[in-house]
Amino acid sequence: MNAAPDRVVVVGAGFAGLSAALHLAGRGREVTVVERQAWPGGRAGRLDVAGYRIDTGPTVLTMPDIIDQTFAAAGKERAHFVDLRPVDPAYRAMFADGSSIDVHADADRMTAAVREFAGPAQAAGYLRLQAWLQRLYRTEFDGFIGSNFNSPLSLVNRRLVQLAAIGGFRRWDTMVKRHITDPRLRRIFTFQSLYAGVAPQHALAVYSVIAYMDTVAGVFFPRGGVRALPDGLAAAAVQTGVEFRYRTTVSALDRTGGRVTAVRTDDGERIRCDAVVLTTELPETYRLVGRRPRRVIPLRPAPSAVVMHVGFRPADATPHAHHTILFGESWEQTFTDIIRDGRTMRDPSLLVTRPTVGDPTLAPDGRGLLYVLAPAPNLSRGAIDWSRQGRAYAGTLLEAVRERLLPELGAGAELLGLHTPADWADQGMAAGTPFALAHTFAQTGPFRPANTVRGIANVALAGSSTVPGVGVPTTMISGRLAAERVTGSRDERHRPATVLDVKVPLR
């Protein structure tokens, strides 16, 4: 940022903001985090009702090494702040034909499960697919996911050639089909494309790195619920000297020339700063900086979701999976319904999370807690009146879960919370989607809204709508990348300049 910023204000205490704060504090900066809620977490919200402790945001945590690196950036050890436990199986996949398979991150256990489920040829194909996913991740991470881009020319490097050589720019579904032919198994390694906003038949294979995070790196759950992770990150930041201002909303940025000199809050306070990291929702970011990106292709939001939280009385002590994916029979139709036609799924495919499997204390004694996520059209695509149809649709989803997974969901079940695209919009999320921008080619890497702002020298952006993208690990990486915009990369001062180092702040 052509300066030595000592005082940095981070706006927002979500995963991106917390990551940025820890990286900045670890590099000796004086950091203040301003957060409108009374707690940290951002999209990882919380709801406490009737003795239940509910996570309203993400429930699937992957890539614990990135979490550990974030704590380590400030000289802290994650284990001192968060008890993060592996979830095994990572998922249980259940299909419309009545078959099911447990998905394990351990290659040997997963190979055995696939062999029993679909035979030795598919088991051998799984091993080839797993090796390909690992190679894809190693090739992609440093050059694309974990790096700042100064211009599209930054893509022109050795890793781009390697990525093309291993099929990264072919179709996601095509590459998975090369190794696995059983259509049920293919769904396990491609369903993640729905949250990236593109059907697997159209998504580039580079995005299958999301399947690597789930099915190879593994899934984890903190004791105390997902909220325990932002709580732990914030506690580590406080120990490092970071100041938090909760229940405080940023209303404006004071500027002198091309630099921000202070952050103004809704209660009239003026917080002086040398640099700012904004993790606000994209519309609010544009309002604060007073400009919008200049793009030939309009930004495309990802699909949204309906999420409901249900308390119930378990019928027996039979073990259940922490995460269950209920695949409908008309899986391909799901993408047409949501992405093209802007309607709810005619044959629902659902993610059902039972957090009380990982921590029974999240519900009252003798009760269980369910989190049910149904992909849905965002508000820019669909024309659904969620205020009138939301609860009725939730009832339809609850009946589907009862029929296909938990027969004990009956009169004793209680709807504790419901979030529809309209509710996400009320929280300021563009187009009513918690998944931010779709990961189309035109919204990936240097083509995604950048983490710098044209004409403002000391503002960096972080969060789901900027690089590298959506998801807990990637938003934490975005916090690190924003911190590096402020302080410079630790490696940058030792790296000779190249013709690719073109300084083009993002559109």
Side-chain angles (χ1 to χ4, degrees):
M1 289 187 169
N2 301 319
D6 293 321
R7 293 168 299 182
V8 185
V9 173
V10 176
V11 181
F15 285 120
L18 293 167
S19 172
L22 283 163
H23 281 278
L24 289 164
R27 299 182 186 196
R29 270 50 178 191
E30 179 184 323
V31 182
T32 300
V33 178
V34 182
E35 168 56 48
R36 64 181 178 178
Q37 298 291 348
W39 52 76
R43 275 177 163 82
R46 57 189 71 184
L47 173 67
D48 294 337
V49 56
Y52 295 89
R53 290 184 292 157
I54 299 168
D55 291 317
T56 61
T59 62
V60 179
L61 294 179
T62 63
M63 305 302 293
D65 56 322
I66 292 174
I67 296 173
D68 291 349
Q69 290 163 14
T70 304
F71 281 100
K76 304 298 181 182
E77 291 187 26
R78 184 264 306 159
H80 294 163
F81 297 90
V82 183
D83 182 5
L84 196 61
R85 302 173 177 182
V87 174
D88 187 40
Y91 298 101
R92 176 168 296 154
M94 301 182 67
F95 303 94
D97 64 1
S99 62
S100 65
I101 182 173
D102 285 350
V103 179
H104 304 280
D106 179 79
D108 291 338
R109 296 186 66 192
M110 188 59 185
T111 302
V114 171
R115 182 180 296 109
E116 181 178 352
F117 180 77
Q122 299 301 303
Y126 157 74
L127 286 173
R128 293 193 301 270
L129 175 61
Q130 197 220 41
W132 179 77
L133 287 171
Q134 291 186 11
R135 186 180 176 193
L136 179 75
Y137 179 78
R138 290 194 300 268
T139 303
E140 189 175 346
F141 185 86
D142 288 338
F144 297 91
I145 299 173
S147 298
N148 275 314
F149 294 97
N150 293 318
S151 83
L153 289 175
S154 302
L155 278 175
V156 184
N157 55 38
R158 174 176 55 86
R159 289 189 181 274
L160 180 72
V161 177
Q162 293 174 337
L163 199 56
I166 64 174
F169 298 108
R170 296 179 67 85
R171 298 302 179 191
W172 185 339
D173 188 61
T174 298
M175 292 304 296
V176 172
K177 196 181 296 185
R178 280 188 173 187
H179 307 289
I180 292 177
T181 57
D182 187 297
R184 299 167 300 173
L185 292 175
R186 290 207 309 271
R187 293 180 188 181
I188 294 171
F189 297 97
T190 60
F191 80 88
Q192 300 89 349
S193 71
L194 184 61
Y195 306 116
V198 186
Q201 296 87 350
H202 306 297
L204 293 178
V206 290
Y207 308 129
S208 60
V209 71
I210 310 171
Y212 167 88
M213 294 178 179
D214 282 0
T215 63
V216 179
V219 174
F220 295 78
F221 187 72
R223 187 173 183 272
V226 172
R227 69 176 70 183
L229 179 53
D231 285 349
L233 290 164
V238 168
Q239 287 190 11
T240 314
V242 175
E243 179 186 4
F244 284 83
R245 309 276 186 93
Y246 293 111
R247 296 188 177 92
T248 303
T249 300
V250 171
S251 57
L253 304 177
D254 286 353
R255 287 163 55 183
T256 300
R259 300 185 69 83
V260 172
T261 57
V263 169
R264 289 193 178 272
T265 67
D266 57 354
D267 58 5
E269 185 180 9
R270 184 175 183 271
I271 306 173
R272 293 189 305 120
C273 60
D274 300 307
V276 178
V277 175
L278 295 176
T279 72
T280 43
E281 300 292 342
L282 208 55
E284 178 65 5
T285 297
Y286 292 154
R287 185 191 71 79
L288 289 171
V289 300
R291 59 194 63 206
R292 299 184 65 83
R294 294 180 288 179
R295 297 178 63 92
V296 175
I297 302 174
L299 292 173
R300 174 181 155 185
S304 185
V306 172
V307 174
M308 64 178 181
H309 308 278
V310 179
F312 71 106
R313 184 174 298 280
D316 52 47
T318 303
H320 291 274
H322 191 115
H323 299 290
T324 301
I325 306 172
L326 299 176
F327 286 105
E329 184 175 3
S330 304
W331 171 239
E332 287 75 15
Q333 184 68 37
T334 294
F335 296 91
T336 302
D337 288 344
I338 294 171
I339 297 175
R340 191 193 72 183
D341 297 342
R343 55 163 297 159
T344 57
M345 295 176 287
R346 282 170 277 188
D347 181 15
S349 291
L350 308 172
L351 170 65
V352 181
T353 294
R354 191 167 172 174
T356 42
V357 170
D359 187 348
T361 68
L362 299 176
D365 289 344
R367 301 290 289 180
L369 178 61
L370 289 183
Y371 169 110
V372 181
L373 184 150
N378 61 50
L379 297 182
S380 69
R381 175 61 65 181
I384 301 168
D385 185 348
W386 290 106
S387 64
R388 298 182 60 185
Q389 300 181 37
R391 291 190 72 87
Y393 185 56
T396 300
L397 298 177
L398 190 61
E399 180 62 18
V401 175
R402 187 191 67 79
E403 290 181 354
R404 295 159 58 183
L405 180 64
L406 291 171
E408 60 260 43
L409 286 181
E414 50 185 336
L415 184 63
L416 304 169
L418 176 65
H419 292 82
T420 70
D423 298 310
W424 304 126
D426 288 342
Q427 296 180 32
M429 299 180 195
T433 173
F435 302 114
L437 299 177
H439 280 267
T440 61
F441 180 78
Q443 294 178 174
T444 297
F447 306 112
R448 200 169 179 83
N451 58 4
T452 57
V453 179
R454 185 184 297 275
I456 306 179
N458 62 337
V459 170
L461 309 184
S464 299
S465 295
T466 186
V467 291
V470 178
V472 174
T474 42
T475 52
M476 295 184 76
I477 291 170
S478 80
R480 171 178 65 79
L481 296 178
E484 289 179 1
R485 289 296 193 189
V486 175
T487 67
S489 170
R490 293 183 184 276
D491 299 329
E492 232 170 44
R493 68 194 68 180
H494 303 297
R495 181 173 58 84
T498 73
V499 71
L500 298 182
D501 292 330
V502 183
K503 301 298 181 182
V504 183
L506 207 108
R507 306 152 281 289

